[in-house]
Amino acid sequence: MKKTIFGILLLGTLLCEIASGQGVPPPGYGVMGVPPPAYGAPPPSTVPAYPNSMPPTMVTSNVTPPLPYPDPYASAPPPGPVSSYAPQGAGGFNTPLPGAASYGSPQGPGIVNFDNLEAFYRYVDPKQKDLDGAHTIGGALTVALFNPLYLKFGASWGGGSGGGTVSGATKADYDFATIQAGAGFHTTLISNRLTFVAEAGLIYASLKAKDKAVSFSDGSIYVRPALRFTPFDFLEVQAGVTVGSSDRYDSKVLDLSTYFRVLPMFDIGIGADFGDTTRALRTTLRLRW
């Protein structure tokens, strides 16, 4: 009985010591389920209500209010005035787009071109009465260098017969040939449709006939200024004057040519040459690239 009472007293003493060691709870904390003071009271007035509500009516210069959200269900605004310009990627009536293929003006390099190869037939009519006209064929290669320079090489060969007897009995059959090499430059004038060309180089002409009196071989220096005009994209008109140092062959020649584009890179041309010793008619096939 005494042991039981002693144990109860010892347990009570230990519980009292533990409780006293806990101390008093700090202010603001509830004790035994009681809420702390000011629990549920509204927050201090120093806490701003923005942005949980509408911004204040007066906004300082340092604060920018948010933009209002657009109404996603609002009707679309009315269309503005229609532009007077043609829509991008569309041309006007009968006006093809730049570079577009059309009749007479297909896609390809410009008709005034300095990368081309020509093959021609040329009928040469000497003014000398003892010689009939010569049928010649030839070609010319033009190669563009860095703008605006180019090189040109050409050659032709053919033959003809005498217009009567030479030395009393024999017809003056003859062979006629030319070789040309030159360089030049080009520039546009007024507009892109008018091009000025200046060319200079060497030309060698040879005429060999049975009648030695009309035979010659002559090398000379030549200069040729010319104009190339394109009234339409499919048409080129060319005119030039060649002045050379030759005293046996044409020293002055006026040449006129017209080229028609029939394919994107292919032209057909006709022309005439009027020199002081010969006259000539020619037809030309020209390939551009």
Side-chain angles (χ1 to χ4, degrees), residues 111-192:
I111 194 168
V112 177
N113 177 270
F114 294 91
D115 277 316
N116 58 71
L117 177 64
E118 296 184 58
F120 58 83
Y121 163 79
R122 188 166 179 255
Y123 176 78
V124 181
D125 182 22
K127 291 183 178 181
Q128 188 166 342
K129 295 181 179 180
D130 292 337
L131 301 175
D132 282 343
H135 301 276
T136 65
I137 57 173
L141 173 64
T142 303
V143 179
L145 299 177
F146 53 90
N147 194 45
L149 303 180
Y150 68 92
L151 299 176
K152 186 173 183 179
F153 307 94
S156 65
W157 176 86
S161 61
T165 59
V166 178
S167 301
T170 308
K171 285 182 176 290
D173 294 336
Y174 65 95
D175 294 328
F176 180 73
T178 61
I179 299 176
Q180 171 192 0
F185 81 95
H186 57 91
T187 183
T188 56
L189 299 177
I190 303 175
S191 70
N192 291 333

Side-chain angles (χ1 to χ4, degrees), residues 212-268:
K212 300 300 181 183
V214 296
S215 298
F216 69 86
S217 295
D218 194 4
S220 63
I221 300 173
Y222 76 92
V223 176
R224 179 181 178 265
L227 291 175
R228 301 177 66 173
F229 178 57
T230 54
F232 306 101
D233 291 339
F234 60 88
L235 177 65
E236 176 190 352
V237 179
Q238 190 174 145
V241 177
T242 301
V243 179
S245 61
S246 173
D247 56 358
R248 303 291 306 276
Y249 185 55
D250 289 326
S251 59
K252 299 180 182 65
V253 180
L254 170 66
D255 63 89
L256 301 173
S257 303
T258 301
Y259 292 90
F260 300 90
R261 173 158 59 183
V262 295
L263 292 174
M265 301 173 60
F266 186 72
D267 308 323
I268 294 178

